[in-house]
Amino acid sequence: MKKVSVIIPTYNCGVYLACAIESVLKQDVDLEIILIDDASIDGTEEIVKELKKSAKYPISYIRNAKNLGVSASRNKGIEIANGEYLAYLDADDWWAEGKLKKQLMRLKQTNGVFCYTGRELFYENGQPKDKWISVPEKVTWKSLLWTNVIPCSSVLIKTEIGKEFPMEHDEIHEDYLTWLRIVRKYQAAYGVNEPLLKSRLTADGKSRDKKKTIQMTYGVYRYLGLRKITALTYTASHLYFSAKRYW
């Protein structure tokens, strides 16, 4: 069994893909890469073939016959994962060396099932924005309701937990919904407060449309069964803390 299965969904991100995969190949833990191509039309398959030739870890390539969305694509990878842990990485992001090893150590220290890290922000062209966003050492259900501090591409989680809580509902923030459902059952998630995730701010990112992201955040709380007034309160809090992080 591999130690970590790295799940990379991609849709027309061929221009960034080598950077993402090469950052995984530099990790110093036993791993496999599972790349799910969500019906890209930018030559992604050929890019992966070239990267496979010199890869020191196995790369599995799955191509969707039609565009299914990021949740269904991630779930396809999760279903065939052979690792003890899952690590999520979006195709336009990348990792610092040693990221996975530090997270595995953190989970061992805390006896946790779920770990995340801080992130450094980059412009779309890969130039640094000279800003990194710190994370708390621990979040609980109650603290995570106020704001999402967990970047999806930073997450390392026990495979059995990832399979128990597959990602759903691309129409809202599917990752935030998943983290909340997990910590509600398993009490906590643990952070490594270092910028181990390198996060690219692309023009078509889901969070760039502020009106849409408000609706999606509110949708998460309503899906979880919170009353309208409670959902509105948490949505306002989420927006406040998100804006504060990016100042």
Side-chain angles (χ1 to χ4, degrees):
M1 173 183 278
K2 295 291 181 185
K3 191 72 173 179
V4 180
S5 296
V6 182
I7 311 298
I8 307 177
T10 183
Y11 176 63
N12 291 339
C13 283
V15 67
Y16 307 129
L17 199 52
C19 179
I21 291 178
E22 286 169 2
S23 77
V24 177
L25 296 175
K26 291 178 181 177
Q27 301 299 308
D28 50 355
V29 302
D30 189 29
L31 59 82
E32 64 174 352
I33 297 172
I34 303 174
L35 192 139
I36 309 91
D37 180 353
D38 199 14
S40 298
I41 56 172
D42 66 345
T44 288
E45 186 169 3
E46 294 305 314
I47 293 168
V48 175
K49 284 180 181 178
E50 285 300 312
L51 289 168
K52 275 185 171 185
K53 291 178 182 179
S54 58
K56 67 176 181 177
Y57 297 122
I59 301 176
S60 299
Y61 175 79
I62 301 169
R63 179 175 172 82
N64 296 338
K66 62 179 181 179
N67 188 267
L68 300 178
V70 69
S71 293
S73 296
R74 281 199 192 102
N75 293 340
K76 271 192 169 186
I78 292 168
E79 286 173 7
I80 66 168
N82 293 309
E84 182 182 355
Y85 294 88
L86 299 171
Y88 302 131
L89 178 61
D90 289 344
D92 51 359
D93 295 332
W94 70 99
W95 293 338
E97 292 187 37
K99 171 189 178 289
L100 294 180
K101 192 169 186 178
K102 289 182 178 181
Q103 288 184 282
L104 289 168
M105 290 176 60
R106 179 77 171 131
L107 289 179
K108 184 176 181 180
Q109 291 167 354
T110 60
N111 198 30
V113 299
F114 179 6
C115 184
Y116 53 91
T117 78
R119 61 176 176 147
E120 183 178 5
L121 302 182
F122 288 77
Y123 293 106
E124 191 166 1
N125 63 6
Q127 292 298 310
K129 202 177 179 190
D130 295 325
K131 182 175 180 61
W132 77 276
I133 299 176
S134 62
V135 292
E137 292 188 353
K138 177 181 177 180
V139 294
T140 63
W141 159 256
K142 288 186 177 180
S143 66
L144 193 59
L145 280 170
W146 290 106
T147 185
N148 182 19
V149 297
I150 301 176
C152 185
S153 288
S154 78
V155 166
L156 179 73
I157 189 169
K158 282 274 193 178
T159 298
E160 63 198 68
I161 309 302
K163 292 187 176 184
E164 181 182 1
F165 292 96
M167 291 202 177
E168 301 173 330
H169 298 289
D170 287 349
E171 74 278 7
I172 55 179
H173 290 300
E174 80 288 338
D175 54 342
Y176 187 30
L177 174 63
T178 301
W179 315 150
L180 283 165
R181 293 173 66 205
I182 292 170
V183 297
R184 181 163 58 180
K185 178 173 181 178
Y186 289 95
Q187 311 302 319
Y190 297 91
V192 177
N193 191 25
E194 298 179 37
L196 302 177
L197 167 62
K198 311 302 178 179
S199 184
R200 196 186 305 267
L201 301 175
T202 56
D204 57 352
K206 286 171 71 173
S207 298
R208 303 307 288 271
D209 184 336
K210 298 308 177 187
K211 182 178 179 181
K212 185 176 180 181
T213 199
I214 291 170
Q215 295 170 337
M216 294 166 72
T217 302
Y218 177 76
V220 168
Y221 299 127
R222 291 293 287 157
Y223 182 86
L224 290 168
L226 302 185
R227 295 181 303 167
K228 288 184 179 180
I229 187 64
T230 305
L232 286 169
T233 300
Y234 282 128
T235 300
S237 169
H238 180 94
L239 291 171
Y240 169 76
F241 284 109
S242 293
K244 192 174 180 181
R245 281 196 294 272
Y246 285 93
W247 286 346

